[in-house]
Amino acid sequence: MTDGQQKKFAMENIERNSKSIALLCDNIFYFAELGMQEFETSGLMMQVLETAGFTIERNPSGMPTGFIASYGSSKPVIALHTEFDATPGCSQAPGVAEPTPIVDGAPGHTEGHNVNGAVMIGAALAIKKTIDECGVKGTLKVFGAPAEEQLVSRPYFVRDGYFKDVDVALHDHIGKELGTVYGLRQYALISAEFTFKGQSAHAATAPWNARDALDAAVLMDIGWDKLREHLEPTQRSHRVITNGGDQPNVIPNRSTIWWFFREATAEKTRALFEKAKRVAQGAAMMTETSYDVNVLSAVWPTRANRTLAEVIQKNIEEIGMPQWTEGEQKLVHEVQTKVKAKPTGMPTKVAPLKECVQSVSANDSGEVSWVVPTGLISFPSNIPGVSYHHWSAGVSLATSIAHKGAIAGAKAMAASAIDLLLEPQIVAKAKETFKQEIGDVEYRPLLPPDQKPPLELNRDLMERYRPKMREHYLKERPEFR
């Protein structure tokens, strides 16, 4: 069997399982689980992989909703990895071109990580079938990565050695086009909680006996705001006060402010974080409080390897764009008009290969991309012109638009992985160009060596909404052949 026939076999498998891929996509959409709480989502994904014959490692880095599914025993080792978490307060009914929560106030998928998961699983099962029935050698590792919206899991996976034996990695992510890129893609980021501790007192009768922890958090916020004028314009920093006390007449003895610090490089991000700690120290001194810092996660910028991008691009061009129906384009135009975006409709041509312009966004897949050559598959399942984390970005995610994009993405991921399994010289070239691209940059994790993952993250929020959300779960589950 030729290389082309093996890839054709994999793509036919994906076509045969197109309904199951769509069902997986839609099940995850209605689960709509926030980061670190993706128990239904990861449970279903692991069940599908285990049924297909993968060996499942649960709780990597101590994360109950993470997993590593493995198949095969020889070189090369190809990793597939992606995220599947939702966003808070973003519940949106699919196929409706106006704000329509499924459950008011509940989490929802408004980026498309539900489709990411379906693409990765669909591709993984097709690759496994091809290994079994077409004589392909190699090992496939499938990483389920929780809490991307909080940039949590993959820095821990890399730190704890789970990518040490991986030769190359492929990451899929939803987009508005079918394409890939190379070069530096996104920013580095440190996510940290600053918790101030003081002394409570009655706010009316004895405020002089208090040391106000909330004042300290507010002063840190003000201090950082005053410092912004003197920071490089490339930086981005934003925060929420997650604990500001319980009631107005009790001066808070504890207050927490959660920050994201972003910069173009890991070292600049590290320097930004050190400045923030000095501002926190000043706020604590002014209020006679103490403080501690909890780093939830810390990630390097994402990058994409040119050799892998060329492999992916060739497959994308052979697969071609999905064919959109008149009804699908009508829905897209309605949403674009509603949000005052340019009414382009869904794209009809494959995007050309291009070098990235670095974005200020971040993704915890960045950590992987500095330790092994990494390729990105972007697939067209969301609407051009909409903003992620907005109701409009949830409209397409459990419709035929998302399903068609997912099939194209799964094919591109599977075909590219098969090329890498069949042609060791491509893997060797990717490793060589990776060294050239990295140059003299030394990878040093931003994540503290003894840091534990934030397992309680989003637990209260999910427990509040999950009972009502469960009423909308799909009854039908995917069955792959």
Side-chain angles (χ1 to χ4, degrees), residues 13 23 52 77 97 115 125 149 172 260 274 310 364 434 450:
N13 178 270
L23 264 175
V77 178
V115 199
L125 298 180
E149 293 295 351
D172 71 282
F260 277 11
E274 291 303 316
E310 289 169 350
D364 68 286
F434 173 71
D450 57 350

Side-chain angles (χ1 to χ4, degrees), residues 58-291:
R58 291 170 167 80
N59 303 312
S61 298
M63 298 183 202
T65 59
F67 63 84
I68 304 168
S70 302
Y71 191 78
S73 58
S74 58
K75 284 286 193 176
V77 178
I78 311 298
L80 312 182
H81 61 101
T82 202
E83 54 271 27
F84 35 76
D85 55 333
T87 45
C90 288
S91 180
Q92 171 63 31
V96 182
E98 58 185 31
T100 309
I102 299 170
V103 174
D104 194 37
H109 278 284
T110 51
E111 183 162 332
H113 292 176
N114 62 306
V115 199
N116 288 6
V119 166
M120 181 179 74
I121 298 300
L125 298 180
I127 297 163
K128 189 258 182 191
K129 279 277 190 183
T130 307
I131 290 172
D132 285 345
E133 300 189 25
C134 301
V136 177
K137 303 294 184 184
T139 300
L140 184 64
K141 289 198 167 186
V142 183
F143 288 78
E148 187 281 326
E149 293 295 351
Q150 293 82 29
L151 301 140
V152 172
S153 56
R154 281 163 282 200
Y156 290 89
F157 291 174
V158 170
R159 184 198 66 183
D160 295 344
Y162 288 105
F163 280 86
K164 275 187 178 177
D165 65 342
V166 170
D167 291 300
V168 294
L170 299 176
H171 175 217
D172 71 282
H173 197 283
I174 191 169
K176 284 94 174 178
E177 58 187 14
L178 184 60
T180 191
V181 291
Y182 62 92
L184 273 174
R185 294 179 45 233
Q186 293 168 293
Y187 263 34
L189 183 149
I190 293 176
S191 165
E193 294 176 323
F194 291 75
T195 297
F196 294 89
K197 299 170 186 176
Q199 174 64 53
S200 62
H202 195 292
T205 63
W208 47 83
N209 289 331
R211 297 193 305 278
D212 195 329
L214 177 57
D215 278 352
V218 170
L219 281 167
M220 183 189 179
D221 188 24
I222 293 170
W224 188 260
D225 192 47
K226 293 301 179 185
L227 185 62
R228 287 178 195 273
E229 178 185 1
H230 311 290
L231 299 175
E232 292 187 43
T234 49
Q235 75 87 26
R236 296 289 187 274
S237 46
H238 22 270
R239 80 290 175 263
V240 291
I241 293 177
T242 55
N243 178 10
D246 298 312
Q247 60 189 54
N249 65 336
V250 180
I251 291 175
N253 63 6
R254 188 181 184 93
S255 186
T256 300
I257 183 168
W258 180 13
W259 285 91
F260 277 11
F261 301 102
R262 306 176 190 253
E263 251 292 4
T265 70
E267 290 308 314
K268 284 186 174 183
T269 307
R270 201 189 306 269
L272 204 62
F273 182 49
E274 291 303 316
K275 289 179 186 290
K277 287 194 280 189
R278 291 194 290 274
V279 173
Q281 183 180 9
M285 289 174 65
M286 284 188 284
T287 54
E288 296 186 298
T289 58
S290 62
Y291 79 98

Side-chain angles (χ1 to χ4, degrees), residues 258-327:
W258 180 13
W259 285 91
F260 277 11
F261 301 102
R262 306 176 190 253
E263 251 292 4
T265 70
E267 290 308 314
K268 284 186 174 183
T269 307
R270 201 189 306 269
L272 204 62
F273 182 49
E274 291 303 316
K275 289 179 186 290
K277 287 194 280 189
R278 291 194 290 274
V279 173
Q281 183 180 9
M285 289 174 65
M286 284 188 284
T287 54
E288 296 186 298
T289 58
S290 62
Y291 79 98
D292 56 47
V293 184
N294 180 33
V295 176
L296 300 177
S297 193
V299 302
W300 276 56
T302 55
R303 60 179 307 113
N305 174 258
R306 177 150 191 171
T307 299
L308 295 181
E310 289 169 350
V311 171
I312 294 164
Q313 184 68 26
K314 183 179 177 183
N315 284 306
I316 282 171
E317 289 173 359
E318 291 176 0
I319 293 161
M321 281 293 290
Q323 300 299 303
W324 312 111
T325 67
E326 184 178 334

Side-chain angles (χ1 to χ4, degrees), residues 29-30 91-102 330-332 334-336 338-339 383 390-399 401:
F29 178 85
Y30 285 100
S91 180
Q92 171 63 31
V96 182
E98 58 185 31
T100 309
I102 299 170
K330 181 176 181 289
L331 176 62
V332 171
E334 286 175 357
V335 174
Q336 289 173 329
K338 184 76 173 180
V339 299
I383 296 173
H390 183 263
W391 68 265
S392 57
V395 172
S396 68
L397 299 181
T399 71
I401 295 169

Side-chain angles (χ1 to χ4, degrees), residues 4 20 76 116 120 126 163 166 168 196 201 307 328 354 382 411 419 428 453 461 471:
S20 294
N116 288 6
M120 181 179 74
F163 280 86
V166 170
V168 294
F196 294 89
T307 299
E328 289 163 346
K354 53 184 178 286
N382 216 321
K411 287 179 178 179
D419 280 335
L461 200 55
E471 297 171 11

